[in-house]
């Protein structure tokens, strides 16, 4: 199964409102707050109080949990270097 199909399969199992901190779209980071829905090839995520629609097949990865936690982790790694 191709990676894009695995991510799409994973999104089909997520309940609406599931917390997501960041997604990778064609390798670019996109900060989001929650998964909303996946329908007709589009994946919908909460983005700063709005809804963002992304082509599901272009999503390469998903970071679960709050984005703030990921940013704090990145800061710690940068400080250690």
């Amino acid at each position: 199964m191709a990676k894009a199909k695995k991510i799409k399969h994973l999104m089909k199992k997520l309940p609406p409102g599931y917390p997501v901190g960041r997604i990778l779209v064609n390798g670019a980071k996109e900060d989001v707050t929650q998964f909303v829905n996946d329908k007709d090839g589009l994946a919908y995520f909460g983005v700063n109080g709005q809804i963002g629609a992304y082509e599901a097949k272009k999503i390469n990865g998903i970071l679960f949990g709050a984005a703030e936690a990921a940013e704090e982790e990145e800061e710690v790694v940068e400080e250690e270097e």
Side-chain angles (χ1 to χ4, degrees):
M1 184 181 289
K3 287 182 185 180
K5 287 185 179 180
K6 289 181 181 180
I7 294 290
K8 187 170 172 74
H9 182 72
L10 174 66
M11 285 190 294
K12 291 231 178 266
K13 292 183 174 187
L14 291 177
Y18 199 85
V20 176
R22 187 173 290 144
I23 58 174
L24 294 175
V25 182
N26 285 336
K29 295 177 184 176
E30 296 285 336
D31 289 331
V32 296
T33 55
Q34 64 181 342
F35 174 75
V36 176
N37 194 4
D38 175 42
K39 185 174 182 176
D40 297 330
L42 292 175
Y44 299 89
F45 291 88
V47 181
N48 296 325
Q50 298 179 322
I51 302 295
Y54 302 88
E55 282 189 70
K57 67 182 179 183
K58 293 186 178 183
I59 297 175
N60 311 89
I62 300 174
L63 176 68
F64 294 99
E68 293 83 22
E71 290 170 2
E72 290 173 7
E73 184 177 310
E74 288 175 6
E75 289 174 9
V76 171
V77 172
E78 289 173 6
E79 290 173 4
E80 291 176 358
E81 292 177 353

